[in-house]
Amino acid sequence: MTAPPAALVNRNKKHFLGIPAPLGYVAGVGRGATGFTTRSDIGPARDANDVSDDRHAPPSKRKKKEEEEEDDEDLNDSNYDEFSGYGGSLFSKDPYDKDDEEADMIYEEIDKRMDEKRKEYREKRLKEELERYRQERPKIQQQFSDLKRGLVAVTEDEWRNVPEVGDARNRKMRNPRAERFTPLPDSVLSRNLGGESTSSIDPSSGLMSAIPGTATQGMLTPTGDLDLRKMGQARNNLMNVKLNQVSDSVEGQTVVDPKGYLTDLQSMIPTYGGDINDIKKARLLLKSVRETNPNHPPAWIASARLEEVTGKIQAARNLIMKGCEENQQSEDLWLEAARLQPPDTAKGVIAQAVRYIPTSVRIWIRAADLESEVKAKRRVYRKALEHIPNSVRLWKAAVELEDPEDARILLSRAVECCPTSVDLWLALARLETYENARKVLNKARENIPTDRQIWVTAAKLEEANNNHHMVEKIIERAITSLSANGVEINREHWFKEAIEAEKAGSVLTCQLLIKSIMGHGVEEEDRKHTWMEDAESCASQGAYECARAIYSKALTIFPSKKSIWLRAAYFEKNHGTRESLETLLQRAVAHCPKSEVLWLMGAKSKWLAGDVPAARGILSLAFQANPNSEEIWLAAVKLESENSEYERARRLLAKARASAPTPRVMMKSAKLEWCLDNLDLALKLLDDAIKIFPDFAKLWMMKGQIEEQKGDTDKAWETYNTAIKKCPNSVPLWLMMSGLEEKRKQLTKARSVLEKARLKNPGNPRLWLEAIRVEFRAGMRDIANTLMAKALQECPNSGILWAEAIFLEPRPQRKTKSVDALKRCEHDPHVLLAVSKLFWCEHKLQKCRDWFNRTVKIEPDLGDSWAYFYKFELFNGTEETQEEVKKHCIAAEPHHGELWCRVSKDISNWRLTTEHILALVAKELPIPI
């Protein structure tokens, strides 16, 4: 091989080879490589005793290493200064002038400010961590504090049975290696049984080891017999010595209280369950406050209560008495001292307090409370009144302890000492005779011209003595006098006075107060609205006479307002008598003759009272005032038909059809014939009515039902088919059509009818419910559940669907479904009724009764809830609860409900009352399972 040319070699040679690396160069650092050290770089390990190689280093290197070691020493923690840092200040040679001090102060303020920003959060976090730490790792004292407090409930017998610390049984259990006594062998017993008597033990018999202390390892057994009698005597002597040590001392004082030591243990149990360190801190803090300002009573009281809480009652008493010495004029301190002392000592403390503060009402009352006899209490109060004759509180307390005659004498003196006390004047007036009471009230008005209670009491006094003409004068003078004296006439206060007067039996006074005050402060355009609210408020508080007075006054001002007459009539119906209602209605129809409701209420009242001729008379007058009125025509027909006057009812209906041919009149005409079983005549009337009113759905329904009753289902189907075309929005018609198809065993057609109905009437829950029930009755439970899910999606707030969904679920899942239903429809009566039945299934009777009550209160017109409630009481209630449910149902007169309407609208039950319908529906209801 030939060598390469020189030019080629120079071209391939790198220019940096053989050149030293630049200063600070690290190989690969530009590519992100990091250096590492291996054992080969460090070299072999050296022994600790080896001499360092620095001994061979040149002097320059050795000096440099010494300087580095000095620098390391400067960086030690011992050489650290908070102000200068490590190794002293860099500028320690320069002087520290004012500029440096100001700069340091500014930096210090900045540091403080930065620290305060997060101080509150930091302290809160530390406190939470400490509390969490205390909860996770509580102190032993905290763990046993509840057990210590629980020792209060330990009885005396339990304390007596607590084993002593040195109990042999416990000691054996704790220390199984302790000494044990070996029972005597049978040889000793046999000697005694054989008639031999011995009083000693032979050491050679081996029984000495049974007696502790007689045989010790490494010692010789004593010779001779051991006397058992001497051992017994020694034991008795030792016991006597121990008992003497714990019984009486030299001074004769008993060390152990045999009767009270068990009960005294209760006082040793600390009542405070907190941290003992907190008590110590509080004690030191309060001590500092007392020493700094000994004339500050709250500090003494707080200190005493701290000791009381911690169970040191004697220390608390000493502290509070010391505080009383320092602050002899402090009422609170003396009262606290009396509270802390026992009853006997407390009397002395209060007596001492009275000497220092004879004008303190609270101290005198406390002194009277400490007395147990009424005579002593009277003496204390009379002594107190000598020092404080103008204290109303003392006079009241003293009067309460006296007999009526003595109380009257005391009150006559009390009103002289306290002429501005209304209560004392009124109390004196109640105890005086009529003439004297009038004089007392006149004097009271002179002394207190700005109080309304005196005037009201004077009015009550006149009413009680049958001076009715004076009552109105007194109330008018009262309002005039109080207004003249600058007293604001507040309606609420006067209404309260009227309500209290009614409760006290002063009916006339309360009525006149209402009539005199109800117009004050009310704008003219707001009078009607405000007065109706006032009447409802009074009625809700049970003040029916006040409400009656408001209605009476309002009707005199607005005699032609139909709404006020109706409110007053309903009020009399609920809270008045039949006579008062009829009197009011007579006045009402005289002022509002065009109001059909008032006429009908009057006629119904007479009818319910059994006065049918009077009811007819009222309706005839109503005809004259309201000719061709549909309501009055139908009321007259109902009155006659209910009283079996069918011919008169037919004539009335014929006249009504001639003069007022309305759809309801036509329907009632057909229904009367249907009820009287004249089916052909009823169908003829319905055909005539349908020609005139083809869009009135109830006519079609009645026609279809009569045809079904006659057994002609084909005609009924044609009627319903025509009806749903004429009245496509009538849901009952679609339901009746579906029911007819189901009776004819045409399940597919029934489904089709309901689907068409849902298309015509989207979002109707009754149509969905019927479709679900059709599938359920056909045994298609899965399809019923699927339909229910779709129905709840389309009608998520339908109560009847949710109520049905609860009982479609299996029993374990019904409760969850009921919770979902209540979230969606919280106040729906159907859901509440379903929940009530659910509790009935679970035999939670009280909850079931409560939910039934909620249901009938929310919707009293739902007959199904009343029927279920009544059936529940029949099975689980008493006769009183059953009668109560029945009475409330009759008062509510329900007209709705699926099961209720099925019975009430049955043509065979057309003359049944609410009570009979309730019994029938309850009888047909199934018990929920």
Side-chain angles (χ1 to χ4, degrees):
M1 293 179 66
T2 59
L8 184 61
V9 172
N10 292 335
R11 189 172 64 248
N12 293 335
K13 185 178 181 181
K14 305 299 182 183
H15 69 276
F16 53 83
L17 294 177
I19 301 174
L23 186 64
Y25 172 76
V26 179
V29 74
R31 302 188 305 275
T34 56
F36 57 92
T37 306
T38 63
R39 172 64 66 182
S40 61
D41 297 326
I42 299 173
R46 296 185 180 90
D47 192 15
N49 297 324
D50 290 350
V51 181
S52 174
D53 292 338
D54 291 341
R55 65 185 185 275
H56 303 295
S60 60
K61 289 185 178 181
R62 200 178 306 163
K63 185 176 181 182
K64 185 176 180 181
K65 187 169 184 64
E66 290 176 357
E67 290 177 357
E68 291 177 357
E69 289 177 356
E70 289 179 0
D71 293 340
D72 292 341
E73 291 177 359
D74 290 340
L75 295 176
N76 287 338
D77 290 341
S78 60
N79 202 24
Y80 175 73
D81 181 55
E82 186 176 0
F83 181 76
S84 303
Y86 287 101
S89 173
L90 295 174
F91 307 101
S92 57
K93 298 177 182 179
D94 298 332
Y96 186 74
D97 52 9
K98 285 187 177 181
D99 293 339
D100 296 331
E101 182 179 1
E102 184 179 358
D104 291 338
M105 185 173 65
I106 291 171
Y107 278 113
E108 185 177 358
E109 291 295 329
I110 292 172
D111 291 339
K112 286 183 180 179
R113 177 63 178 165
M114 296 297 291
D115 183 63
E116 286 177 356
K117 282 185 176 181
R118 305 288 289 175
K119 182 178 179 182
E120 183 179 355
Y121 169 75
R122 186 171 61 252
E123 290 179 352
K124 183 179 178 182
R125 188 184 63 187
L126 288 174
K127 185 176 180 182
E128 291 176 354
E129 290 178 356
L130 183 60
E131 289 178 355
R132 187 165 59 251
Y133 179 80
R134 289 297 186 197
Q135 291 177 358
E136 294 174 356
R137 301 176 181 83
K139 297 182 179 179
I140 295 179
Q141 178 186 4
Q142 295 175 350
Q143 293 177 5
F144 289 97
S145 60
D146 57 338
L147 299 177
K148 290 180 181 178
R149 288 194 295 269
L151 292 176
V152 179
V154 177
T155 62
E156 186 175 350
D157 293 335
E158 291 173 344
W159 275 114
R160 191 179 292 113
N161 294 327
V162 172
E164 295 292 337
V165 178
D167 194 347
R169 292 171 297 175
N170 293 338
R171 188 165 62 247
K172 285 180 182 179
M173 294 173 66
R174 291 194 303 268
N175 189 8
R177 309 180 93 182
E179 56 186 0
R180 297 182 180 180
F181 297 95
T182 305
L184 291 176
D186 296 341
S187 59
V188 177
L189 297 175
S190 63
R191 291 176 189 174
N192 291 333
L193 292 173
E196 300 179 7
S197 61
T198 178
S199 62
S200 62
I201 299 176
D202 186 6
S204 62
S205 63
L207 298 178
M208 292 293 291
S209 61
I211 305 173
T214 58
T216 308
Q217 187 177 1
M219 296 181 63
L220 296 174
T221 304
T223 58
D225 295 342
L226 187 63
D227 195 346
L228 293 178
R229 284 191 296 270
K230 290 182 180 179
M231 286 180 62
Q233 292 173 2
R235 183 184 60 191
N236 292 337
N237 291 335
L238 183 60
M239 182 65 69
N240 290 333
V241 169
K242 289 184 178 180
L243 290 175
N244 291 333
Q245 287 177 354
V246 297
S247 61
D248 294 338
S249 63
V250 179
E251 292 81 10
Q253 297 178 350
T254 303
V255 178
V256 178
D257 181 10
K259 294 182 179 179
Y261 83 99
L262 284 175
T263 55
D264 286 344
L265 286 175
Q266 184 177 351
S267 64
M268 297 171 62
I269 300 171
T271 57
Y272 181 74
D275 193 354
I276 194 66
N277 291 325
D278 296 339
I279 300 174
K280 290 179 179 179
K281 290 178 183 178
R283 193 175 283 132
L284 286 174
L285 181 61
L286 291 171
K287 182 181 178 182
S288 174
V289 175
R290 292 196 311 269
E291 292 176 353
T292 305
N293 188 5
N295 296 324
H296 188 56
W300 294 97
I301 295 173
S303 302
R305 289 186 178 175
L306 176 65
E307 301 300 338
E308 181 189 10
V309 167
T310 55
K312 298 182 178 180
I313 189 66
Q314 191 57 45
R317 291 169 182 168
N318 296 337
L319 269 174
I320 205 69
M321 291 309 297
K322 189 175 180 183
C324 292
E325 293 175 6
E326 296 285 343
N327 303 274
Q328 297 176 351
Q329 299 298 318
S330 175
E331 187 182 54
D332 295 330
L333 271 176
W334 286 109
L335 290 172
E336 185 70 13
R339 186 185 68 83
L340 290 172
Q341 297 291 346
D344 297 336
T345 315
K347 290 182 181 179
V349 172
I350 286 293
Q352 191 176 357
V354 166
R355 285 196 293 272
Y356 287 112
I357 320 173
T359 58
S360 172
V361 175
R362 294 168 62 198
I363 288 177
W364 282 108
I365 291 176
R366 179 61 178 161
D369 292 340
L370 289 173
E371 299 291 342
S372 57
E373 296 182 0
V374 178
K375 188 176 180 181
K377 290 178 183 287
R378 291 174 185 167
R379 192 183 310 116
V380 171
Y381 280 127
R382 293 185 181 183
K383 189 72 175 174
L385 289 169
E386 292 178 6
H387 291 84
I388 322 169
N390 58 349
S391 172
V392 177
R393 189 177 176 187
L394 284 176
W395 280 110
K396 287 182 180 179
V399 167
E400 287 176 357
L401 297 175
E402 300 292 343
D403 298 330
E405 187 61 31
D406 295 335
R408 186 177 59 79
I409 298 170
L410 267 180
L411 284 170
S412 61
R413 174 63 180 156
V415 295
E416 295 176 5
C417 298
C418 307
T420 58
S421 173
V422 178
D423 295 336
L424 294 178
W425 283 107
L426 297 181
L428 178 59
R430 291 190 192 99
L431 294 175
E432 291 285 2
T433 60
Y434 171 57
E435 295 297 333
N436 292 336
R438 295 181 70 181
K439 295 176 183 177
V440 168
L441 291 174
N442 287 328
K443 288 182 182 178
R445 284 201 296 267
E446 292 174 3
N447 286 282
I448 316 170
T450 59
D451 192 271
R452 69 179 181 278
Q453 292 184 355
I454 299 173
W455 292 96
V456 175
T457 306
K460 291 179 184 177
L461 178 66
E462 298 297 339
E463 182 181 355
N465 288 275
N466 297 322
N467 293 331
H468 295 165
H469 64 283
M470 286 296 297
V471 177
E472 188 172 1
K473 291 181 180 179
I474 289 173
I475 293 174
E476 290 176 358
R477 289 177 188 172
I479 296 174
T480 305
S481 175
L482 291 172
S483 301
N485 284 284
V487 178
E488 180 186 0
I489 305 299
N490 191 313
R491 293 180 77 251
E492 293 183 3
H493 295 166
W494 283 88
F495 268 92
K496 287 180 182 178
E497 291 287 347
I499 293 171
E500 291 176 3
E502 180 182 350
K503 291 179 180 178
S506 302
V507 177
L508 181 62
T509 302
C510 85
Q511 291 177 345
L512 292 174
L513 280 171
I514 291 291
K515 291 179 180 179
S516 302
I517 205 65
M518 61 185 289
H520 277 268
V522 181
E523 296 292 336
E524 188 172 349
E525 59 270 13
D526 297 334
R527 286 185 298 178
K528 177 190 169 186
H529 177 70
T530 306
W531 290 346
M532 294 302 100
E533 286 184 350
D534 292 338
E536 290 177 2
S537 175
C538 291
S540 63
Q541 298 179 50
Y544 301 131
E545 294 297 334
C546 294
R548 193 170 281 116
I550 294 173
Y551 283 125
S552 176
K553 178 75 173 180
L555 288 172
T556 56
I557 296 177
F558 303 106
S560 60
K561 287 288 185 181
K562 172 187 167 184
S563 59
I564 301 179
W565 285 109
L566 277 174
R567 283 175 178 263
Y570 284 123
F571 173 79
E572 292 296 341
K573 180 182 177 182
N574 294 326
H575 305 293
T577 61
R578 185 174 60 84
E579 291 78 11
S580 64
L581 174 61
E582 291 175 357
T583 305
L584 179 72
L585 288 172
Q586 288 175 4
R587 293 172 50 209
V589 295
H591 288 91
C592 303
K594 296 296 182 182
S595 176
E596 301 172 354
V597 180
L598 295 173
W599 287 106
L600 295 176
M601 287 181 71
K604 187 175 182 179
S605 178
K606 290 290 186 183
W607 175 34
L608 292 176
D611 193 355
V612 178
R616 288 186 183 133
I618 291 174
L619 288 175
S620 64
L621 294 173
F623 275 124
Q624 296 174 9
N626 301 276
N628 300 329
S629 171
E630 179 187 88
E631 292 292 336
I632 296 174
W633 278 111
L634 295 179
V637 169
K638 185 176 182 180
L639 176 66
E640 301 299 343
S641 61
E642 292 286 344
N643 290 280
S644 303
E645 297 287 344
Y646 304 124
E647 290 301 324
R648 297 181 65 141
R650 283 193 178 108
R651 287 199 298 269
L652 285 171
L653 285 169
K655 289 181 182 179
R657 289 197 301 273
S659 60
T662 63
R664 288 188 65 202
V665 170
M666 304 295 287
M667 183 186 71
K668 291 294 182 182
S669 301
K671 187 175 182 181
L672 179 62
E673 300 301 335
W674 186 15
C675 293
L676 297 176
D677 206 20
N678 297 326
L679 302 184
D680 294 333
L681 182 56
L683 285 174
K684 182 178 181 304
L685 288 171
L686 287 171
D687 288 335
D688 295 340
I690 286 171
K691 292 176 183 177
I692 305 172
F693 307 106
D695 55 348
F696 192 68
K698 287 188 177 181
L699 297 173
W700 291 103
M701 285 189 280
M702 286 178 65
K703 185 174 185 295
Q705 285 176 322
I706 292 173
E707 288 169 347
E708 281 189 61
Q709 185 178 342
K710 293 178 70 175
D712 196 348
T713 54
D714 293 334
K715 279 190 177 181
W717 186 88
E718 291 177 3
T719 300
Y720 291 143
N721 195 26
T722 308
I724 58 177
K725 295 175 182 176
K726 298 287 184 180
C727 310
N729 296 325
S730 175
V731 174
L733 270 176
W734 288 103
L735 296 177
M736 295 176 80
M737 180 72 174
S738 169
L740 181 62
E741 295 289 2
E742 195 174 0
K743 286 179 185 177
R744 297 170 66 187
K745 307 297 183 182
Q746 301 291 333
L747 188 61
T748 306
K749 289 185 178 181
R751 290 173 181 153
S752 176
V753 167
L754 290 172
E755 192 169 352
K756 287 180 183 178
R758 291 200 299 273
L759 291 173
K760 295 285 184 179
N761 303 277
N764 191 286
R766 292 178 61 192
L767 295 172
W768 280 105
L769 181 62
E770 184 62 25
I772 293 164
R773 288 178 176 173
V774 165
E775 301 297 342
F776 192 80
R777 287 192 291 265
M780 307 291 185
R781 194 181 184 93
D782 296 337
I783 299 177
N785 289 326
T786 305
L787 279 175
M788 177 61 75
K790 292 180 180 178
L792 290 176
Q793 285 180 352
E794 188 170 340
C795 311
N797 298 319
S798 172
I800 55 174
L801 287 177
W802 280 105
E804 189 76 14
I806 291 173
F807 287 94
L808 278 179
E809 297 288 335
R811 185 183 290 272
Q813 299 174 9
R814 288 178 183 175
K815 191 173 182 181
T816 307
K817 199 71 173 181
S818 65
V819 173
D820 297 338
L822 286 171
K823 287 180 182 177
R824 286 284 188 177
C825 315
E826 184 179 0
H827 301 293
D828 190 279
H830 297 90
V831 173
L832 296 179
L833 179 59
V835 174
S836 306
K837 293 192 290 184
L838 193 62
F839 282 124
W840 191 356
C841 297
E842 297 174 357
H843 302 287
K844 297 179 179 179
L845 303 183
Q846 188 55 46
K847 281 190 175 181
C848 180
R849 185 174 284 110
D850 295 340
W851 280 81
F852 271 130
N853 277 313
R854 287 180 60 184
T855 307
V856 296
K857 283 181 181 177
I858 283 181
E859 185 53 73
D861 195 47
L862 184 63
D864 291 358
S865 57
W866 287 109
Y868 270 109
F869 196 5
Y870 184 63
K871 182 148 192 169
F872 170 78
E873 294 296 347
L874 286 175
F875 279 88
N876 304 290
T878 61
E879 291 184 4
E880 291 79 7
T881 56
Q882 294 164 15
E883 290 299 323
E884 186 177 358
V885 171
K886 187 188 294 185
K887 183 180 71 174
H888 285 97
C889 178
I890 293 170
E893 294 184 2
H895 293 92
H896 293 86
E898 183 180 0
L899 301 172
W900 184 272
C901 291
R902 187 183 303 167
V903 174
S904 63
K905 292 186 180 296
D906 190 348
I907 205 64
S908 59
N909 302 328
W910 70 286
R911 294 195 60 180
L912 294 183
T913 61
T914 304
E915 180 180 356
H916 294 97
I917 294 173
L918 176 66
L920 281 176
V921 177
K923 185 179 179 180
E924 292 184 8
L925 286 176
I927 298 176
I929 55 174

